[in-house]
Amino acid sequence: MIKSRSGNLRRHADPPSFIARPLGAGAISTYHFLHIPKTGGTSVTDFLRTQIPEERIYPGAFDHQIVREPEDAPRFDLYAGHISIGRAPGDPRLITMLRNPRQRLLSAFGHWRAVAERKRDSPKPGNGFVSQFLEMSLEEFLAAETPALKRVTMNLQSRLLAGGQYGTKKSTRAQVFGPELGDEEVLEAATHTLRNCFYFGFTEDLNASIQRLAALGGWPHPETRYRSKVTPSWARPTEAPEISEDKLKSATSLDDRLYAAAKDIYRERFGG
């Protein structure tokens, strides 16, 4: 099952019934960019913001904001950020980016370490989730049994694309809960999403991915050459420890399979 050995990746609520719609089912002018952490999503969001008027872009970027919107809240043409599948109202066209799973995970660790360092001397150092990275090694990060840490490490890309949900509190907004599916079901659901979403690209080929997105969206060819803004795979290269291959593989086993499948799906759907 896609859960921690203590069973704490599970979520009290069922995953959303909406996982993916056939290509073209969403309203043409409505898009949902699912930003998976450390995949170059900020660059994609920057591009989308050049194509859609600011007043037509949802001002929030997290599930904990969108779930608090009233039923009659205004609808927007773009919902971009760490917003789970099924959260954006209506039937928007889904866009996302994927990254080599192990590089993405190492980048995530470097990111949390950097955030913890920045907040070390802050009057408001942040919650315990961030501060724990001050003394944490990469080995400890990969081997962690605490539910919160496993929610930000274990096969994050697969779980989000299979219907996993970001936390709905500010303190848990980076954590992914669920879905309540077995490993093969998660992989099947995530693959289905890639086959049916409007577009997905790859961090390793970011500029070309954004160019293809522009063509699909009927937007002008980007004049900017986009480069990834993600944290390097290791924030401090001179301090990089020996990495346990088994622990790294365990945390990305499904994502590795999804990433390999995504390469074939991309060629089938978009060419290249």
Side-chain angles (χ1 to χ4, degrees):
M1 298 293 289
I2 186 73
K3 60 179 181 178
S4 68
R5 284 183 281 273
S6 60
N8 286 309
L9 273 180
R10 293 180 173 276
R11 182 181 176 86
H12 67 277
D14 293 332
S17 58
F18 169 83
I19 297 234
R21 304 284 187 183
L23 181 63
I28 291 177
S29 62
T30 305
Y31 296 89
H32 169 200
F33 173 57
L34 168 60
H35 184 170
I36 299 174
K38 317 319 297 175
T39 61
T42 300
S43 295
V44 178
T45 300
D46 288 347
F47 164 71
L48 290 170
R49 286 183 173 276
T50 68
Q51 306 304 318
I52 297 172
E54 188 68 27
E55 65 273 14
R56 299 304 307 154
I57 301 173
Y58 178 66
F62 297 96
D63 273 14
H64 79 273
Q65 297 167 310
I66 205 166
V67 298
R68 288 165 176 74
E69 295 286 356
E71 288 285 337
D72 59 349
R75 299 294 178 91
F76 295 87
D77 294 339
L78 174 64
Y79 295 81
H82 302 299
I83 298 172
S84 308
I85 292 176
R87 292 289 190 202
D91 187 14
R93 289 183 166 188
L94 180 67
I95 301 165
T96 196
M97 294 288 290
L98 299 177
R99 186 180 181 186
N100 176 284
R102 300 183 189 192
Q103 293 299 311
R104 194 211 67 80
L105 184 56
L106 294 175
S107 182
F109 177 69
H111 165 77
W112 289 117
R113 280 283 296 270
V115 171
E117 289 286 356
R118 288 200 304 269
K119 291 180 175 287
R120 181 191 290 270
D121 299 320
S122 171
K124 296 181 180 180
N127 58 41
F129 177 79
V130 172
S131 61
Q132 67 186 311
F133 285 90
L134 285 170
E135 307 300 331
M136 184 179 293
S137 70
L138 177 60
E139 287 285 313
E140 291 168 334
F141 175 69
L142 293 173
E145 290 294 329
T146 57
L149 281 175
K150 294 189 81 67
R151 293 185 194 121
V152 301
T153 56
M154 298 296 290
N155 295 299
L156 199 74
Q157 297 178 97
S158 298
R159 291 193 294 117
L160 278 169
L161 290 171
Q165 301 280 282
Y166 285 113
T168 55
K169 298 179 180 179
K170 188 173 182 180
S171 60
T172 62
R173 67 186 187 182
Q175 300 176 35
V176 177
F177 295 78
E180 296 271 0
L181 300 171
D183 286 359
E184 296 306 313
E185 293 173 306
V186 167
L187 191 60
E188 181 180 1
T191 302
H192 177 78
T193 297
L194 295 182
R195 291 191 181 281
N196 292 276
C197 66
F198 181 71
Y199 181 72
F200 70 91
F202 297 97
T203 309
E204 292 80 6
D205 203 7
L206 181 63
N207 197 62
S209 293
I210 292 177
Q211 290 176 356
R212 181 60 61 87
L213 172 59
L216 286 174
W219 296 309
H221 184 83
E223 295 182 2
T224 301
R225 181 170 181 80
Y226 288 90
R227 292 179 172 83
S228 176
K229 299 178 183 178
V230 297
T231 309
S233 296
W234 183 254
R236 301 169 178 171
T238 59
E239 299 178 19
E242 291 296 323
I243 300 170
S244 167
E245 185 67 17
D246 288 342
K247 290 177 182 177
L248 194 56
K249 183 177 180 180
S250 175
T252 63
S253 57
L254 288 184
D255 279 1
D256 286 339
R257 292 171 63 191
L258 178 68
Y259 189 77
K263 294 290 188 176
D264 291 333
I265 294 170
Y266 190 93
R267 284 190 290 268
E268 292 169 9
R269 291 195 57 197
F270 309 115

